[in-house]
Amino acid sequence: MPNQKNQETVSSIKEDLSGVSAVWVVDACGLTVKEMQALRHAVRESGSVMKVYKNTLMRIALEESELPTLGDVLEGPSAFVFAGADVAAAAKAVKNFAKENQKLEIKGGLMEGKAVNAAEVEAIASLPSREQLMAQIAGAISGVARGLAVCVNGVPSGLARAVSAVAQQREAA
């Protein structure tokens, strides 16, 4: 049984887990203090939070929250990115930082209660942001509405042209 301080930490982790859509696990070993601050800043800009916890305490919190314990992902030094509403933005922030800094390694994580590996986190990072998806959906809906309006408007105008053509034929005859 963990001591009082560790129990408080486990409670804090469980609170963090309950309010997020995803958790990305990264290995930030070897980063300087400035690089770590830059990573935290990038993560914060995406609407997420990065925290460092002991793997054993994280594992206990995951078990108590009835979530996958992430097995091998929780080996070695780990930092945890708790993603807010925009999961893709948090994954992009981590992936972009990892591109610039080879010392950061994406290990995997949790999304919607399921374990994901590093490749899946990178695939999620390549998705468009929430705002871009909303704009694409709005554009698609607008295009359908515009097409429908053109079709609906085309029936009466086509009928009017046909009537006009018939009238012109009768006048000519």
Side-chain angles (χ1 to χ4, degrees), residues 70-149:
L70 299 177
D72 292 342
V73 173
L74 294 181
E75 298 290 327
S78 300
F80 304 94
V81 177
F82 295 90
D86 195 353
V87 174
K92 276 183 189 170
V94 172
K95 182 180 176 184
N96 291 341
F97 191 86
K99 277 183 187 176
E100 296 169 8
N101 195 321
Q102 301 299 321
K103 296 174 191 168
L104 183 73
E105 175 192 351
I106 300 171
K107 296 165 77 174
L110 284 174
M111 184 171 166
E112 296 179 4
K114 294 185 176 119
V116 293
N117 61 29
E120 291 170 320
V121 174
E122 291 188 20
I124 292 165
S126 65
L127 293 173
S129 70
R130 183 181 178 111
E131 290 78 20
Q132 288 173 324
L133 285 174
M134 294 296 220
Q136 289 174 352
I137 290 170
I141 291 171
S142 173
V144 169
R146 189 178 311 115
L148 182 63

Side-chain angles (χ1 to χ4, degrees), residues 35-50:
E35 291 168 336
M36 195 69 154
Q37 287 174 337
L39 174 59
R40 284 181 191 269
H41 181 72
V43 167
R44 203 173 312 118
E45 282 184 347
S46 73
S48 305
V49 175
M50 187 177 93

Side-chain angles (χ1 to χ4, degrees), residues 5 27-28 47 54-55 63-64 76 84 104 108 115 125 127 133 138 149 155 167:
K5 182 181 176 194
D27 180 355
K54 290 183 177 181
N55 289 336
E63 285 175 13
E64 290 180 7
L104 183 73
L127 293 173
L133 285 174
V155 172

